[in-house]
């Protein structure tokens, strides 16, 4: 031995790490994570099924302990962790995970609520399911290559001779290095129908195949709601997503959910709904129950608060916010016949699988043909022996080397001579000779049929189609996941969750706000903080728009349902809003967005505005009424729609003017038009201001308040004060020269 030659190899670290990582990546891709297009299985799944077959556990056998199967798989074919191997076996046994389970389990194999709640392998028992026959029935017929196992002691199949495209039937998920796969399950009848169509029309498009394969078919009965155009694009590109939605119906007012999306947990869904109920995001739900049992595996009951709840809208919200609607990623990435991973379209997958199937059937026929030829060769020798029976017996009795003599005497091969020598005495009867001739005729007829099939592509396709139809008839079933076009689900907005109840909002003189349910409350009778008092009130509903106006003419909107209760003294609006320095809140309005208001400043100008134009989205509010540097805004006047409505304006010098409301313009913002003539000099000096304005309709009663004095007037009593807009108006009677406020009692 040359001692100067080192027994190790020197490599740069970069080259070594690159090679090691590439080798590891290819191992994970080819031998762990991705399914093969031929049988749709990953190596561990293939080894489990083959090991169970070798253990004598077909669908007709007795159940055997799962630990026995796992031990055989690890010891002979798959030297990895037992828990990972057992979990792969469990997955193939769960009818809610695999569309066509390949393992038939006995014991606790998990539940849809918790797929990993299965018992340990020492407790469960298993055998192959009938579906596995479509993978194994041809394995001993020369259809696939066998390779040495990890230690070279025994042989294992490189692939299983699948009779149908399991890669689509059960689908697959896996994460490799730099790539992943997500293949959804499909219906056997539909896939077989598409295969036959593709055999007849090799140039068929994805759109043609979708007349057979409508879309994925999950083990669940949940509805697939992905539009057909998106499914077609998915099948054309190999990538996309599929949405599935739970199935529900109504029973005596309750909502009963009977099917959940694939891999959705009922417990998790109930938790998601319960969390929303606790957060008061589902006020229309009173209760929820899980009534699932053996007869009804999925039965979730939602109890609405009343029969007025819009169930369709409620379920749309739950679909959008819980696992009652799930989206599944689709990535048709698999290992092809060339042993390379690739994302394929639907046509490519089925064409490549049909190529594999043609190869498999050809190998099976060739294997059978070889067996037939071998048997016919032996039968020819046996029949020669029967024709020369006495001479054969003599040679066997008298010759020292009967085989060699037989071969020379009758021109037999060694195989034929051995077959003659292996005959028993009772097989020399005439009846046995007739059986051999009958067997020979049958085999020759079968050989002729096989040779015809092997010599004709059309006959081979016909045979494949016939076998596909036989399997579909025996193992096929109806689609479980219906396809339906539905509206997009949407969650409730904050406004949707507001209960539509009557409410009274009260504003104090110092800007404190509170609310009370109903309209019976008398705001002036409430308790106020020391030095504070009643400022204004508005009645409406919790779903209405609430707007506050400050003295600077800025408006602010606040959600009514968020206000504190009138049982206390409320909270200051300045805690929520940021009015300009020195400004105070002068009034409020509550109503529908289209409600009309009269906005006016004490300078005598104003206009009509819609309530929605006053909604300020931020804390600083929105400038809507221009009052000037010296002016202030008056409380907004909210009035109902009606006929013969008039504006009533009063100044601090006791002048009142009444004119038709139609003379004022409707604007979104600005100063407006002159309502009553207040001389500019008097306004600047503070001698005269417009102190109040109101809108009076037919049948309404106007209340003029001046200190302790009150004057009630109806529209007909105001005729003396009517005039054109922007006039000075007429003086009120004695005692009402200093008006404090106007109020209207509406009929």
């Amino acid at each position: 031995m040359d001692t100067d030659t080192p027994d190790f190899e020197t490599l740069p670290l970069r080259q070594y790490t690159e090679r090691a990582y590439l080798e590891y990546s290819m191992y994970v891709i080819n031998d762990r994570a991705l399914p093969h297009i031929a049988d749709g299985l990953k190596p561990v799944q293939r080894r489990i099924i083959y090991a169970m077959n070798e253990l004598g556990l077909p669908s007709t056998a007795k159940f055997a302990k799962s630990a026995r199967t796992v031990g055989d798989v690890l010891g002979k074919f798959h030297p990895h962790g037992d828990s990972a191997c057992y979990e792969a076996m469990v997955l193939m046994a769960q009818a809610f995970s695999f569309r066509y389970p390949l393992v038939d389990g006995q014991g606790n194999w998990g539940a849809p609520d918790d797929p990993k709640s299965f018992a340990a392998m020492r407790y469960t028992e298993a055998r192959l399911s009938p579906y596995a026959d479509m993978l194994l029935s041809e394995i001993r017929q020369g259809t696939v290559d066998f390779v040495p196992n990890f230690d070279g002691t025994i042989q294992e199949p490189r692939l299983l001779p699948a009779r149908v495209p399991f890669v689509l039937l059960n689908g697959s998920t896996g994460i490799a290095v730099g790539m992943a796969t997500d293949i959804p399950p499909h219906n056997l009848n539909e896939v077989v129908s598409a295969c036959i169509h593709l055999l007849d029309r090799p140039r068929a498009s994805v759109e043609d195949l979708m007349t057979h394969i409508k879309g994925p078919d999950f083990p669940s009965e949940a509805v697939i709601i992905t539009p057909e155009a998106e499914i077609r694009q998915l099948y054309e590109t190999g990538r996309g997503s599929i949405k599935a939605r739970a199935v529900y119906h109504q029973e005596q007012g309750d909502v009963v959910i009977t099917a959940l999306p694939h891999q959705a947990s009922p417990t998790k869904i109930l938790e998601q709904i319960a969390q929303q109920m606790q957060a008061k995001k589902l006020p229309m739900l009173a209760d929820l129950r899980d009534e699932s049992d053996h007869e009804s595996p999925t039965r979730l009951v939602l109890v609405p608060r009343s029969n007025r709840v819009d169930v369709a809208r409620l379920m749309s919200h739950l679909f959008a916010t819980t696992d009652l609607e799930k989206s599944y990623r689709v990535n048709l990435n698999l290992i092809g016949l060339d042993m390379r991973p690739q994302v394929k379209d639907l046509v490519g997958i089925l064409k490549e699988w049909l190529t594999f199937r043609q190869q498999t059937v050809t190998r099976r026929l060739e294997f059978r043909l070889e067996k037939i030829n071998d048997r016919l060769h032996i039968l020819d020798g046996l029949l020669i022996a029967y024709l020369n029976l006495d001479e054969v017996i003599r040679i066997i009795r008298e010759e020292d080397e009967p085989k060699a003599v037989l071969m020379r005497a009758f021109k037999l091969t060694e195989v034929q001579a051995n077959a003659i020598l292996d005959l028993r005495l009772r097989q020399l009867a005439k009846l046995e000779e007739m059986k051999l001739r009958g067997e020979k005729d049958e085999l020759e007829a079968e050989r002729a049929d096989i040779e015809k099939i092997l010599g004709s592509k059309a006959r081979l396709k016909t045979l494949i189609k016939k076998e596909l139809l036989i399997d579909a008839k025996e193992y096929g079933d109806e689609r479980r996941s219906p396809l339906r076009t539905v509206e997009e689900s949407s969650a409730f907005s904050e406004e949707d969750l507001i209960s539509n109840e009557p409410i009274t909002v009260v504003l104090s003189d110092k800007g404190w706000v509170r609310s009370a349910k109903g309209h019976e409350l008398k705001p002036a009778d409430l308790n106020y903080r020391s030095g504070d008092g009643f400022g204004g009130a508005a009645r409406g509903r919790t779903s209405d728009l609430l707007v506050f106006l400050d003295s600077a003419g800025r408006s602010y909107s606040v959600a009514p349902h968020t206000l504190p209760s009138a049982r206390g003294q409320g909270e200051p609006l300045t805690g929520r809003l940021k009015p300009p320095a020195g400004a105070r809140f002068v009034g409020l309005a509550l109503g529908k967005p289209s409600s009309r208001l009269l906005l006016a400043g004490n300078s005598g100008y104003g206009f009509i505005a819609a309530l929605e134009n006053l909604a300020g989205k931020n804390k600083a509010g929105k400038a809507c009424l221009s009052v000037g540097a010296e002016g202030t805004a008056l409380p907004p006047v909210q009035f109902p729609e009606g006929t013969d409505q008039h504006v009533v304006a009063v100044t601090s010098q006791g002048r009142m003017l009444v004119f038709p409301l139609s003379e004022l313009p409707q604007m979104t913002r600005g100063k407006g038009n002159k309502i009553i003539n207040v001389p500019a000099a008097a306004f600047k000096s503070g001698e005269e201001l417009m102190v109040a304005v109101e809108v009076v309709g037919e049948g309404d009663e106007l209340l003029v308040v001046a200190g302790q004095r009150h004057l009630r007037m109806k529209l007909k009593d105001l005729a003396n004060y009517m005039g054109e807009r922007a006039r000075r108006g007429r003086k009120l009677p004695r005692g009402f020269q200093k008006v404090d406020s106007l109020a209207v009692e509406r009929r």
Side-chain angles (χ1 to χ4, degrees), residues 332-633:
L332 304 181
N333 187 16
L334 37 80
I335 298 172
L337 297 179
D338 57 0
M339 296 305 293
R340 293 182 179 180
Q342 185 182 353
V343 176
K344 302 178 186 292
D345 65 354
L346 181 63
V347 174
I349 291 174
L350 292 181
K351 274 189 175 180
E352 197 162 341
W353 183 84
L354 286 171
T355 300
F356 167 75
R357 184 59 187 159
Q358 288 173 346
Q359 293 171 355
T360 303
V361 173
T362 300
R363 291 182 63 167
R364 186 189 77 205
L365 293 174
E366 289 173 345
F367 179 82
R368 177 59 182 161
L369 185 60
E370 185 180 348
K371 293 292 184 184
I372 289 173
N373 286 332
D374 290 345
R375 181 60 179 166
L376 285 172
H377 182 62
I378 292 172
L379 288 176
D380 288 339
L382 292 176
L383 289 172
I384 289 173
Y386 278 105
L387 288 173
N388 303 278
L389 191 55
D390 293 338
E391 181 62 16
V392 170
I393 293 172
R394 185 196 68 76
I395 291 172
I396 294 172
R397 289 181 65 185
E398 296 177 0
E399 297 294 336
D400 294 333
E401 294 182 1
K403 183 166 72 172
V405 175
L406 284 172
M407 291 173 65
R408 283 196 306 272
F410 302 108
K411 296 180 180 179
L412 301 175
T413 64
E414 186 176 353
V415 174
Q416 290 173 322
N418 284 332
I420 292 170
L421 292 173
D422 289 339
L423 282 173
R424 296 176 183 176
L425 285 174
R426 62 177 149 185
Q427 291 178 300
L428 300 177
K430 186 69 176 175
L431 187 60
E432 288 297 323
E433 181 184 355
M434 293 172 64
K435 284 183 180 179
L436 291 177
R437 291 190 182 279
E439 182 183 353
K440 181 181 178 182
D441 292 341
E442 290 177 4
L443 290 177
E444 285 178 341
E446 186 179 350
R447 179 174 65 181
D449 288 341
I450 291 175
E451 288 174 343
K452 285 180 182 177
I453 294 172
L454 290 174
S456 169
K457 289 185 179 180
R459 288 178 182 270
L460 183 63
K461 286 184 178 180
T462 301
L463 176 62
I464 292 172
K465 286 193 286 186
K466 188 184 299 182
E467 291 176 348
L468 284 170
L469 289 171
I470 290 171
D471 286 333
K473 184 177 181 181
E474 184 173 355
Y475 299 104
D477 57 1
E478 294 297 321
R479 166 176 279 276
R480 290 189 196 170
S481 302
L483 290 97
R484 196 174 302 157
T485 302
V486 297
E487 292 184 4
E488 192 76 21
S489 59
S490 60
F492 285 134
S493 63
E494 188 176 348
E495 290 76 15
D496 292 332
L497 297 173
I498 300 170
S499 56
N500 192 9
E501 299 174 345
I503 188 175
T504 300
V505 180
V506 180
L507 177 67
S508 78
D509 192 50
K510 300 292 185 181
W512 285 61
V513 67
R514 47 188 153 169
S515 68
K517 291 183 179 180
H519 294 162
E520 295 77 22
L521 177 78
K522 293 183 178 180
D525 295 343
L526 292 174
N527 291 324
Y528 293 89
R529 295 164 57 87
S530 177
D532 200 359
F534 172 66
R539 292 181 172 87
R541 306 190 75 83
T542 49
S543 58
D544 286 343
L545 180 61
L546 174 61
V547 169
F548 294 93
L549 187 72
D550 70 13
S551 57
R554 298 185 70 83
S555 59
Y556 312 80
S557 55
V558 175
H561 68 282
T562 63
L563 296 177
S565 170
R567 293 174 182 172
Q569 292 181 334
E571 66 178 46
L573 271 176
T574 51
R576 297 184 180 216
L577 309 173
K578 293 181 179 179
R584 63 183 185 86
F585 292 99
V586 297
L588 71 164
L590 177 65
K592 301 298 178 186
S594 59
S595 300
R596 294 201 300 164
L597 305 175
L598 170 56
L599 300 181
N602 61 358
S603 63
Y605 286 81
F607 60 90
I608 307 298
L611 186 59
E612 60 189 350
N613 297 139
L614 276 63
K617 295 183 179 179
N618 52 42
K619 291 183 177 181
K622 178 181 180 181
C624 60
L625 177 65
S626 299
V627 294
E630 300 169 353
T632 60

